[in-house]
């Protein structure tokens, strides 16, 4: 039997921008995904503190949300972002990787609704949260 | 009383471009994405120079949604910082070298950012311009639009809220 996690990992890691960010898919479930991004000096937003730029956090959250949609049993194929809102709670601690977890909590024939959270080593205090709507393609 | 003689154009351009470069070049992530800014007077246009690593869907191909979001957010933060700093750059209170070395110069922090994806981003350069809805002492609201070949056909737009840098309270 084909390992679904392995297949999803290969798919996510084949996306050029995911590779540029060094993203690793660590878990895929039914409408759930977890992706992690190692600390990288190229992604620094504030050179004085070494904190990762919010834009890079948006990119990993967007990828994680998309992966959660594609892993949903009712989603037949690809997806694209319709809208995504990111709330930034605090700066990510420099030197730590960022882990994201997304859940596709509702899906219709055309639209998937997703929520996601990004954390660093301090998993109790989120760095950012996201909520968005995604297309459901390939029906 | 005679009006003060205006500065030579090259002096004005050099001062403004040096300040803008310091603001942009100092941020590794802006270089990573390949973003630069066109300046006309105080008006800025963000330019996202296309590169293969910005692709999110290799089949179409299309720009990564996260890249689009980041491009809009970078344009919003730089425009907001620039507009706040511009009078001080003009008066000579801040010069380019201060922007990264002076710890009292802080940048706005993103509170939230929402992106509307209107059409897929094509594998070519993109442009963005930010409009400040309101910039108060503590908070600012900024709208950003992004387009590629035709400015009338936006491929994304966004709105964000920002926490403005606070000057330390004078003691006493």
């Amino acid at each position: 039997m084909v390992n679904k996690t392995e297949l999803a990992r290969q798919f996510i890691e084949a996306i050029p921008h995911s590779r540029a960010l060094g993203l690793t898919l660590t878990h895929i479930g039914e409408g759930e995904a977890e992706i992690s991004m190692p600390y990288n000096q190229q992604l620094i937003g504030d050179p004085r503190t070494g904190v990762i730029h919010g834009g890079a956090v948006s990119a990993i959250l967007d990828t994680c949300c998309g992966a959660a949609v594609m892993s949903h049993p009712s989603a037949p194929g690809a997806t694209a972002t319709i809208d995504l809102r990111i709330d930034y709670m605090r700066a990510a601690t420099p030197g730590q990787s960022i882990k994201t977890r997304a859940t596709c909590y509702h899906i219709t024939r055309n639209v998937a609704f997703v929520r996601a959270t990004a954390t660093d080593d301090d998993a109790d205090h989120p760095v950012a949260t996201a909520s968005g709507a995604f297309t459901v393609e390939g029906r | 009383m005679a009006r003060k003689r205006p500065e030579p154009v090259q002096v004005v351009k050099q001062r403004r471009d040096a300040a803008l470069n310091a603001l942009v070049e100092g941020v590794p992530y802006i270089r990573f994405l390949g973003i630069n800014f066109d300046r006309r007077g105080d008006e800025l246009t963000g330019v996202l120079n296309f590169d293969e690593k910005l692709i999110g869907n290799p089949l179409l191909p299309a720009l990564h949604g996260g890249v689009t979001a980041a491009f809009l957010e970078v344009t919003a933060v730089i425009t907001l910082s620039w507009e706040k700093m511009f009078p001080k750059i003009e008066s000579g209170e801040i010069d380019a070298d201060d922007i990264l070395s002076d710890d009292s110069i802080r940048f706005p922090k993103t509170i939230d950012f929402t992106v509307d994806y209107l059409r897929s981003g094509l594998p070519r350069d993109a442009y963005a311009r930010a409009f400040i809805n309101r910039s108060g002492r503590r908070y600012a609201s900024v709208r950003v639009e992004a387009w590629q070949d035709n400015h009338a056909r936006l491929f994304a737009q966004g709105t964000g809220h920002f926490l403005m840098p606070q000057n330390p309270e004078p003691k006493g």
Side-chain angles (χ1 to χ4, degrees), chain A residues 5 9-10 12 14 23-25 27 42-44 50 65 71 75 78 82-83 87 96-97 106 110 113 121 133 136-137:
Chain A
T5 306
R9 176 181 294 138
Q10 282 172 14
I12 296 295
L23 302 188
T24 313
L25 185 116
H27 170 79
Q42 289 182 292
L43 308 180
I44 290 173
C65 288
S71 74
I82 298 171
D83 105 301
D87 290 294
Q96 298 182 0
S97 64
H106 186 73
N110 298 304
F113 298 89
D121 291 357
V136 176
E137 314 264 352

Side-chain angles (χ1 to χ4, degrees), chain B:
Chain B
M1 197 178 89
R3 185 164 73 109
K4 205 177 125 203
R5 202 175 160 72
E7 293 173 292
V9 62
Q10 282 314 325
V11 171
V12 175
K13 283 193 176 175
Q14 203 278 334
R15 177 178 61 231
R16 293 176 183 173
D17 289 339
L20 179 59
N21 271 341
L23 196 59
V24 173
E25 298 286 313
V27 183
Y29 186 63
I30 297 181
R31 267 179 288 154
F32 172 80
L33 289 180
I35 297 171
N36 59 274
F37 285 83
D38 268 0
R39 184 188 63 77
R40 297 284 177 267
D42 70 341
E43 185 191 65
L44 299 183
T45 307
V47 180
L48 177 71
N49 296 279
F50 179 71
D51 187 278
E52 207 54 43
K53 74 166 188 244
L54 305 180
I55 291 291
N57 182 331
L59 299 174
L60 286 174
L63 292 180
H64 195 288
V67 169
T68 301
F71 177 44
L72 292 174
E73 192 184 326
V74 164
T75 304
V77 176
I78 293 294
T79 305
L80 193 56
S81 306
W82 175 252
E83 292 211 4
K84 194 177 161 63
M85 236 172 247
F86 194 76
K88 290 182 179 175
I89 294 165
E90 290 299 284
S91 71
E93 196 179 324
I94 296 179
D95 75 27
D97 294 338
D98 297 334
I99 291 178
L100 290 171
S101 60
D102 185 343
D103 277 346
S104 70
I105 300 173
R106 318 281 322 169
F107 300 102
K109 285 197 266 190
T110 313
I111 301 167
D112 61 64
F113 203 81
T114 307
V115 182
D116 266 338
Y117 294 89
L118 305 173
R119 29 177 79 76
S120 70
L122 301 169
R124 59 185 77 147
D125 292 357
Y127 312 99
R129 203 168 285 164
F131 305 89
I132 295 164
N133 298 321
R134 184 191 138 128
S135 173
R137 271 188 311 119
R138 293 166 72 198
Y139 309 110
S141 163
V142 183
R143 177 174 65 83
V144 198
E145 53 186 43
W147 69 97
Q148 294 189 299
D149 301 316
N150 179 347
H151 194 154
R153 287 168 60 84
L154 302 180
F155 78 99
Q157 62 179 12
T159 304
H161 296 92
F162 299 85
L163 186 62
M164 298 307 285
Q166 302 297 303
N167 292 326
E169 294 281 323
K171 297 219 168 73

Side-chain angles (χ1 to χ4, degrees), chain A residues 45-86:
Chain A
D46 184 345
R48 294 173 202 178
T49 57
V51 169
I52 294 296
H53 197 283
V57 179
S58 303
I60 179 180
L61 281 165
D62 181 65
T63 308
C64 195
C65 288
V69 174
M70 283 191 278
S71 74
H72 197 284
S74 308
T79 183
T81 319
I82 298 171
D83 105 301
L84 189 69
R85 173 189 165 115
I86 316 272

